[in-house]
Amino acid sequence: MTLAASKFQAPKGTRDVLSPESARQRALVNTFAVMAERAGFGQIVSPMFEEVGVFKRLGEATDVVSKEMFTFFDKDQKSPTEFALRPELTASVVRAFVQHRPLVPWKAWYEGPQFRYEKPQAGRYRQFNQIGVEALGTDDPHMDVEVIALAADFYAELGLTRNRLLINSLGDASCRPAYLEALTTYFQSNLSALSEQSRVTLEINPLRVLDSKREQDQQLIDDAPVMVDFLSEDTGSHFASVRAGLELLGIPYEISPRLVRGLDYYTRTTFEFANDVMEAAQNAVGGGGRYDGLAQDLGGPATPGVGFALGVERILLACDAEGVFPAPGTTVDVFVVDATGGQNALALAAQMRSHSVSVDRAFDGRSMKSQMKAADRSGAAVALILGEDEMTSNTVTIRSMRTNDPQVTVPRAQVAEEVLKRLEQQQ
Ligand code: AMP
């Protein structure tokens, strides 16, 4: 059979996720939900778009804000408002915190699609899903540790073993200015060696230069001064406590002094998980950090916060690479074969589903032979057969499809009980 080319395709950088991959994605999110709630986080569901100003606070020097936002105006004729599809959820969660002022510490988890106008490639999409947590209202380093531990435990629960945890501290307002000055002086004295784009970035935010992936910049970046050498007593001891907490929990980590991450709001702890089985361009399976100034930037009271976002598609690619967390089976328990026209299949399928048994059936009045083939293909454990004899005697014939149990014909009233018994035996 040749398929006619369809006129419309999913937009560039987006994907249709069909079963069973969709079931796998849902299973991943469900696993995360259970673990986040076990750690005391409650779910937040926020809008998929916000006033663009909410995201502008993430820093004009970040690509996410300056180049990648899907923005649009509403239809208000007099004073249209500019919105953006959310490119990430931390800003939305902090906006919600400032709006509702829940009791602190406030611990929220989330899941859902994010939108970034990126150049699509393997593992990089324009619409992708993230799962994550944010904890607002405490700067206790134990919160950083609990947040990092949740991500590490979650990856382990999926079966991933080749993730590396990279951590860094970006200091805060007490010590970062001195570092920025040292960094700026360093780059400025090597300006001719710096790529043209990085020279522009240097003007806006010298820290961002460390994030450059351009070959030309790498040597300079490798030799640049590092933030951890400039930490104040306070931020230094915060970082030491985070490390001690990770050690107490037996979570291996590497200090990565140039890890600045893609968003400007981070202070103190930053971290990232890299999967070693994946190619470097897409090996970041998640990351996060502290953002002690963000609530204030969004018009709220000074409130420290820490959180992470993990990329669902990236994690599933890592699971593929490591051969773990397969898609769950999507077979039904029961397939109804009705050689009497289909009416009886309609009633019997409904009856079985009311007993929480998953049921499929054939349509279009197909032959008995073709229906039995469909039953086979469905992977169902049990076929329920309705022929003329069964109709006359008000019975149903039960055939186990995966075992050699003898076929039996039972009164219609007993069929649910008998099927449940067989399903249980086969588990
Ligand atoms: P970020 O919000 O940029 O800190 O990203 C957090 C995680 O989301 C990354 O580690 C990736 O796993 C994932 N991610 C970010 N951007 C994309 C994208 N365009 N497509 C797929 N996954 C992404």
Side-chain angles (χ1 to χ4, degrees):
M1 189 171 68
T2 50
L3 291 173
S6 102
K7 182 168 169 235
F8 295 113
Q9 309 263 319
K12 191 173 170 186
T14 71
R15 306 180 321 142
D16 298 310
V17 183
L18 309 187
S19 178
E21 187 63 14
S22 51
R24 188 186 188 207
Q25 195 164 305
R26 197 172 68 234
L28 181 144
V29 172
N30 288 346
T31 303
F32 181 70
V34 168
M35 294 184 76
E37 294 192 350
R38 202 185 285 155
F41 291 84
Q43 187 178 8
I44 174 166
V45 181
S46 64
M48 284 201 207
F49 60 95
E50 300 268 357
E51 280 185 42
V52 75
V54 171
F55 304 116
K56 288 252 165 86
R57 312 287 163 163
L58 304 182
E60 304 278 354
T62 66
D63 281 358
V64 170
V65 173
S66 61
K67 299 191 201 135
E68 297 174 359
M69 279 205 291
F70 282 90
T71 54
F72 59 98
F73 286 91
D74 69 11
K75 296 185 193 300
D76 189 306
Q77 303 277 333
K78 281 201 199 116
S79 61
T81 306
E82 190 177 18
F83 292 99
L85 295 180
R86 64 186 185 204
E88 60 111 57
L89 258 158
T90 305
S92 298
V93 173
V94 175
R95 193 269 308 140
F97 171 81
V98 171
Q99 183 176 338
H100 303 287
R101 302 284 177 87
L103 284 178
V104 295
W106 183 58
K107 297 165 72 179
W109 74 268
Y110 58 75
E111 57 104 358
Q114 319 298 328
F115 307 85
R116 295 183 193 175
Y117 194 78
E118 302 211 60
K119 205 167 148 215
Q121 49 183 285
R124 188 170 294 282
Y125 312 106
R126 290 183 175 174
Q127 177 177 336
F128 59 98
N129 290 283
Q130 285 185 338
I131 46 181
V133 299
E134 310 295 346
L136 281 122
T138 174
D139 63 1
D140 188 328
H142 278 182
M143 190 59 97
D144 306 43
V145 176
E146 289 218 353
V147 160
I148 295 172
L150 174 59
D153 289 348
F154 169 66
Y155 293 127
E157 180 69 26
L158 299 181
L160 291 171
T161 56
R162 300 287 304 280
N163 279 354
R164 247 174 332 119
L165 166 62
L166 311 172
I167 63 169
N168 190 20
S169 174
L170 292 180
D172 63 12
S174 71
C175 51
R176 203 183 309 173
Y179 172 62
L180 291 183
E181 208 177 302
L183 198 60
T184 309
T185 309
Y186 167 80
F187 281 128
Q188 263 165 358
S189 57
N190 293 284
L191 210 54
S192 53
L194 210 55
S195 71
E196 213 179 300
Q197 296 92 326
S198 289
R199 273 181 247 163
V200 176
T201 312
L202 182 63
E203 293 295 312
I204 314 170
N205 182 349
L207 211 54
R208 276 269 79 72
V209 178
L210 298 178
D211 218 19
S212 159
K213 300 283 177 289
R214 281 172 283 271
E215 190 57 44
Q216 187 188 341
D217 298 328
Q218 293 317 303
Q219 191 58 51
L220 266 189
I221 291 174
D222 283 348
D223 298 336
V226 291
M227 183 66 229
V228 283
D229 290 340
F230 287 76
L231 294 180
S232 65
E233 206 179 314
D234 191 35
T235 53
S237 81
H238 190 274
F239 193 40
S241 302
V242 172
R243 295 190 321 257
L246 291 173
E247 280 153 29
L248 186 117
L249 294 182
I251 299 173
Y253 64 84
E254 292 166 28
I255 295 179
S256 175
R258 281 168 198 86
L259 179 71
V260 291
R261 307 228 353 99
L263 300 159
D264 270 356
Y265 50 60
Y266 288 113
T267 55
R268 300 203 255 189
T269 318
T270 54
F271 57 92
E272 197 157 275
F273 288 89
N275 184 277
D276 279 342
V277 186
M278 294 168 74
E279 306 224 341
Q282 61 190 56
N283 73 353
V285 287
R290 253 192 189 282
Y291 42 85
D292 293 343
L294 190 56
Q296 212 166 8
D297 280 350
L298 286 167
T303 312
V306 59
F308 64 64
L310 317 180
V312 170
E313 289 81 0
R314 290 279 179 88
I315 297 172
L316 288 173
L317 285 171
C319 289
D320 289 341
E322 289 201 35
V324 297
F325 201 67
T330 52
T331 53
V332 286
D333 297 324
V334 167
F335 197 94
V336 177
V337 171
D338 178 0
T340 68
Q343 287 274 59
N344 294 298
L346 190 64
L348 186 57
Q351 183 196 344
M352 295 308 300
R353 287 175 190 144
S354 75
H355 285 89
S356 303
V357 172
S358 60
V359 183
D360 206 354
R361 51 164 289 199
F363 292 89
D364 303 320
R366 298 200 180 268
S367 70
M368 178 80 154
K369 194 170 154 208
S370 135
Q371 290 191 47
M372 282 312 297
K373 256 196 199 157
D376 233 1
R377 255 200 321 266
S378 76
V382 170
L384 297 182
I385 303 164
L386 294 162
E388 292 303 336
D389 288 352
E390 284 84 358
M391 290 325 301
T392 319
S393 56
N394 198 23
T395 56
V396 177
T397 294
I398 303 177
R399 182 185 295 180
S400 287
M401 305 293 283
R402 297 189 213 138
T403 64
N404 291 327
D405 291 341
Q407 177 169 309
V408 290
T409 299
V410 299
R412 184 78 180 254
Q414 281 173 26
V415 65
E417 191 187 330
E418 184 63 26
V419 166
L420 288 169
K421 205 163 78 192
R422 289 201 176 203
L423 291 176
E424 204 160 287
Q425 278 165 2
Q426 289 196 23
Q427 275 189 355

